[in-house]
Amino acid sequence: MENNWMFGEKVLGDGDIDPKAIGFIYMITQISTGRKYIGRKNLQMAATKVVKGVKKKYQKQSNWKTYWSSSPTLLGIIENQGTADFTREVLIFCFTKAEMLYAEEHFLYRFKCILDPAFFNDNIRAKIFRKWFGKSVGFVERLDSID
């Protein structure tokens, strides 16, 4: 059985997600060891279909409901042991690509993920520009409200 995504104290369902959100930052925790992984996941993904012989791009729902990380280490453990020993938690929903990049880095640094062996994370890589945040509303407040 798949472990559900949690948001706060609630199991996350489609109706709980703001339709303007493009993705989220998440934390996966291995219950038996307390080790964690922080990452980001898009809610939509690009796809193509052929319409009257012409290739058209469109957006479709990503695999976020069944997603378990891009970490090879974490995925190897899940492949060998299954998902029962893990929880999945959404930390924050993001409404722009800039918010997604910044929020992921924010949490990676905030929790010292690269330095702390209690985390599976083994890299941080992003290039973020101030001008990307022109359309972000209330982002800093949302970040600051998370414990």
Side-chain angles (χ1 to χ4, degrees):
M1 181 175 171
E2 290 180 25
N3 299 22
N4 291 317
W5 285 103
M6 301 297 292
F7 184 57
E9 301 294 318
K10 186 177 177 185
V11 173
L12 187 62
D14 288 325
D16 301 318
I17 301 171
D18 186 320
K20 295 178 185 168
I22 66 158
F24 56 84
I25 307 304
Y26 65 87
M27 183 183 299
I28 294 176
T29 304
Q30 186 177 25
I31 299 164
S32 63
T33 65
R35 287 188 79 192
K36 300 174 185 298
Y37 180 84
I38 292 178
R40 69 178 185 253
K41 185 63 183 161
N42 289 316
L43 292 167
Q44 300 288 318
M45 61 186 277
T48 59
K49 61 183 172 184
V50 177
V51 178
K52 297 182 182 178
V54 178
K55 204 182 254 191
K56 300 279 185 176
K57 291 183 181 180
Y58 70 101
Q59 293 287 311
K60 69 176 189 175
Q61 187 176 67
S62 73
N63 64 340
W64 71 268
K65 292 179 183 180
T66 59
Y67 186 74
W68 280 97
S69 162
S70 61
S71 165
T73 304
L74 181 55
L75 290 174
I77 293 169
I78 289 171
E79 186 177 317
N80 290 328
Q81 300 176 7
T83 61
D85 189 31
F86 293 89
T87 61
R88 300 187 299 174
E89 173 188 5
V90 172
L91 299 176
I92 187 172
F93 285 99
C94 299
F95 297 88
T96 67
K97 290 180 182 180
E99 286 184 9
M100 290 249 315
L101 289 169
Y102 188 92
E104 181 185 28
E105 295 239 349
H106 169 83
F107 287 112
L108 290 171
Y109 288 119
R110 180 175 171 184
F111 292 111
K112 301 173 182 68
C113 296
I114 302 302
L115 304 175
D116 188 343
F119 282 83
F120 292 103
N121 297 79
D122 60 8
N123 69 69
I124 297 176
R125 59 175 184 259
K127 189 174 188 179
I128 303 168
F129 296 92
R130 181 183 307 267
K131 65 182 178 181
W132 293 356
F133 290 91
K135 295 180 182 177
S136 294
V137 177
F139 176 59
V140 173
E141 292 80 8
R142 289 197 321 271
L143 274 181
D144 288 345
S145 71
I146 299 168
D147 293 331

